[in-house]
Amino acid sequence: MHDCHHDIRAPSAWIMRWCARLAPGSEVLDLACGPGRHSRALAALGCRVDAVDIDARFATDLAGIAGVRFRALDLEHGPWPLEGQQYDAIVVANYLHRPSLPLLAQALRDGGLLIYETFAVGQERFGRPSNPDFLLAPFELAQRFSPTLHVLAFEDGVRERPIPARVQRLCAVRTESARLERLMLPELQ
């Protein structure tokens, strides 16, 4: 297990930018949710959230939040614990387990969004994680998902806030490219 910077409480601006398009009642998976910064924000948007983390102690952080169901699941050992489940969106922040990446695309319903932000090579200059096993190679996130999902947006660079970090960010949709209504991009602020 690696350090995931779960102490940062504000939701990612990248993730919330893309989650704004989710309809109330959308079923969302917050993968490796930690104390639930995105689960809380998604519930406030009216989503029904499966908040999943290996650390059962995070259940207390999310207890009593309407629309959030915490599940203590090991995503890295044994069979994929979410087999057969599908979501309208999957949110992943500051977590990378490469063997599960193809499973995320399968866990999206038709029209479902994958919204991902995690650390990339170069992060070791800013701090943890510095283990290359937990750092994306250049363009890796887009390459991993472009065969199965339609990539709406991809960024690779250094973010300043909440703390400086080298990251890759992706938003992709499970759809046919001809479904233009699913390819709408949010207006820039």
Side-chain angles (χ1 to χ4, degrees):
M1 192 47 67
H2 59 283
D3 178 77
C4 295
H5 294 238
H6 282 309
D7 57 310
I8 299 166
R9 293 293 196 167
S12 155
W14 172 264
I15 289 174
M16 295 316 298
R17 171 187 174 202
W18 292 98
C19 285
R21 69 194 296 153
L22 296 174
S26 294
E27 294 180 349
V28 181
L29 172 62
D30 184 1
L31 196 71
C33 67
R37 62 188 175 130
H38 295 109
S39 295
R40 284 185 183 80
L42 289 161
L45 293 175
C47 296
R48 294 191 313 265
V49 182
D50 269 356
V52 171
D53 201 282
I54 193 170
D55 191 340
R57 292 175 296 181
F58 291 129
T60 7
D61 293 320
L62 294 168
I65 298 174
V68 176
R69 173 177 68 155
F70 180 83
R71 300 171 67 190
L73 299 174
D74 185 344
L75 303 168
E76 298 182 12
H77 303 96
W80 178 242
L82 300 165
E83 185 67 38
Q85 296 179 52
Q86 290 202 307
Y87 296 91
D88 299 306
I90 298 173
V91 168
V92 187
N94 302 344
Y95 176 76
L96 178 63
H97 181 62
R98 287 177 178 88
S100 67
L101 295 179
L103 302 168
L104 297 181
Q106 295 169 19
L108 285 172
R109 292 188 175 109
D110 184 42
L113 288 176
L114 174 66
I115 308 163
Y116 209 125
E117 179 178 29
T118 198
F119 302 105
V121 170
Q123 169 60 24
E124 62 279 1
R125 292 184 215 141
F126 298 100
R128 294 172 53 180
S130 58
N131 181 334
D133 292 344
F134 305 121
L135 301 175
L136 292 162
F139 210 65
E140 181 178 358
L141 204 54
Q143 287 175 328
R144 294 249 180 189
F145 289 107
S146 59
T148 53
L149 302 175
H150 181 93
V151 175
L152 294 173
F154 175 76
E155 293 183 349
D156 182 350
V158 175
R159 70 166 190 227
E160 287 295 316
R161 290 187 303 263
I163 58 172
R166 175 69 194 272
V167 298
Q168 286 182 31
R169 301 168 168 160
L170 173 111
C171 179
V173 62
R174 183 174 180 173
T175 193
E176 299 168 20
S177 294
R179 298 288 308 267
L180 299 183
E181 74 278 7
R182 292 191 176 150
L183 306 184
M184 298 302 295
L185 302 173
E187 293 299 317
L188 296 176
Q189 300 299 324

